[in-house]
């Protein structure tokens, strides 16, 4: 039973494109930066996480992500002024 479940999970993972992983990682980094700010008031780490998320989105070279990257850049700029 567990082997079937593992096999199914591997099939799902192997079917994903690398872009899906980069998007998921960028999403995770943005969410974690918000938590760093909210829970720990750690501006420096939040900025680093947002920069890493932007880097992942830049690696995708997808023009449809430009608005998201602009929001991230704006957030970084605002945090740097704190």
């Amino acid at each position: 039973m567990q082997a079937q479940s593992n096999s199914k999970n591997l099939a799902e993972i192997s079917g994903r494109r690398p872009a899906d992983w980069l998007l998921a990682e960028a999403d995770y980094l943005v969410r974690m930066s918000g938590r760093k700010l909210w829970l720990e008031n750690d501006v420096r780490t939040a900025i680093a996480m947002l920069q890493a998320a932007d880097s992942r989105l830049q690696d995708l070279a997808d023009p449809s992500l430009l608005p998201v990257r602009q929001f991230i850049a704006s957030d970084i700029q605002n945090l740097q002024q704190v």
Side-chain angles (χ1 to χ4, degrees), residues 39-79:
L39 297 174
E40 300 174 23
N41 294 321
D42 187 352
V43 175
R44 187 180 312 174
T45 303
I47 290 171
M49 289 179 162
L50 288 173
Q51 289 170 334
D54 184 54
S55 175
R56 300 311 184 275
L57 296 177
Q58 185 178 12
D59 289 346
L60 291 172
D62 183 349
S64 69
L65 296 173
L66 285 177
V68 175
R69 292 190 62 215
Q70 288 173 340
F71 283 124
I72 291 173
S74 175
D75 285 347
I76 290 169
Q77 186 177 25
N78 290 335
L79 287 173

